[in-house]
Amino acid sequence: MNEPTSVDAHQYKTVLGHFCTGVTVVTAFDGDEPVGFTCQAFSALSLRPPQVLLCPQKTSTTWPRIRRSGRLAINMLGVGQREIGRRFARTGVDRFAGVGWRPSPAGAPLIDGTLAWLECHVVEEIDAGDHTIAVASVDELGVGQAEHPLLFFRGEFVGHEMKEAVSA
Ligand SMILES: Cc1cc2nc3c(=O)[nH]c(=O)nc-3n(C[C@H](O)[C@H](O)[C@H](O)COP(=O)(O)O)c2cc1C
């Protein structure tokens, strides 16, 4: 149920857009068709057991197909992959056209040239407003060839070489 709110949707997007994140593409096989969508709402969650979370919109047509497959891959995009980030958010196009990929150990599509990847299976889905929080258990993982992350900030893809270490 939606609670009454005084928060304006435009202002919400503007303010939350200041929280800079990396960009992932979540992929799976639905039958013999590779499927995937660009997903910014991704986070590490638990070390023991190893779990991550991602938040698909309830209107997503791709998420039900990924969930049905049981196995999914999370592809962390590198700075040179903004076109892939855009393409996997478009509707009515073949998102995998021209995109190189190979199967993960359990067969989910791993996009070539990413920063890093995870292969997971969904263990829980939590209802959350207009999104679902999906908790996924990590089965396999690795780093890729890209060295610098693609970022999403204030509604745009950004990213450049990250040379300076900032002490925590
Ligand atoms: C940078 C960026 C981040 C996105 N993050 C999410 C996200 O976290 N969750 C989500 O469901 N959709 C996200 N989207 C939108 C989806 O990629 C896609 O447009 C949406 O799922 C509709 O396609 P579908 O019906 O095939 O799922 C994002 C799009 C972009 C460009």
Side-chain angles (χ1 to χ4, degrees):
M1 198 184 78
N2 288 342
E3 294 168 24
T5 176
S6 60
V7 174
D8 171 72
H10 178 71
Q11 191 186 20
Y12 175 94
K13 286 184 184 174
T14 302
V15 172
L16 272 293
H18 286 70
F19 186 62
C20 183
T21 71
V23 181
T24 74
V25 172
V26 181
T27 57
F29 261 91
D30 182 24
D32 55 8
E33 188 187 347
V35 293
F37 72 103
T38 301
C39 182
Q40 178 193 21
F42 163 79
S43 177
L45 180 61
S46 162
L47 179 60
R48 292 197 178 86
Q51 291 179 337
V52 294
L53 69 79
L54 56 131
C55 303
Q57 300 171 29
K58 284 185 183 162
T59 54
S60 170
T61 57
T62 300
W63 174 247
R65 302 178 72 187
I66 292 176
R67 185 183 46 205
R68 190 162 63 218
S69 84
R71 293 275 161 187
L72 59 95
I74 293 163
N75 299 269
M76 299 179 201
L77 298 187
V79 68
Q81 296 184 303
R82 67 183 69 197
E83 195 42 53
I84 293 180
R86 285 198 189 101
R87 173 186 282 266
F88 277 83
R90 268 186 215 131
T91 50
V93 298
D94 175 0
R95 293 177 178 172
F96 280 87
V99 175
W101 59 272
R102 64 204 183 280
S104 70
L110 298 182
I111 294 172
D112 291 342
T114 60
L115 269 184
W117 58 273
L118 304 163
E119 181 189 273
C120 308
H121 64 276
V122 177
V123 291
E124 189 177 356
E125 287 184 87
I126 301 157
D127 185 85
D130 54 14
H131 281 62
T132 301
I133 303 170
V135 178
S137 187
V138 179
D139 300 309
E140 304 276 352
L141 69 176
V143 293
Q145 295 123 351
E147 286 186 28
H148 304 284
L150 180 63
L151 303 174
F152 200 68
F153 178 58
R154 298 202 302 200
E156 287 181 36
F157 291 108
V158 294
H160 50 80
E161 293 193 6
M162 303 182 102
K163 290 188 178 141
E164 283 178 33
V166 181
S167 43

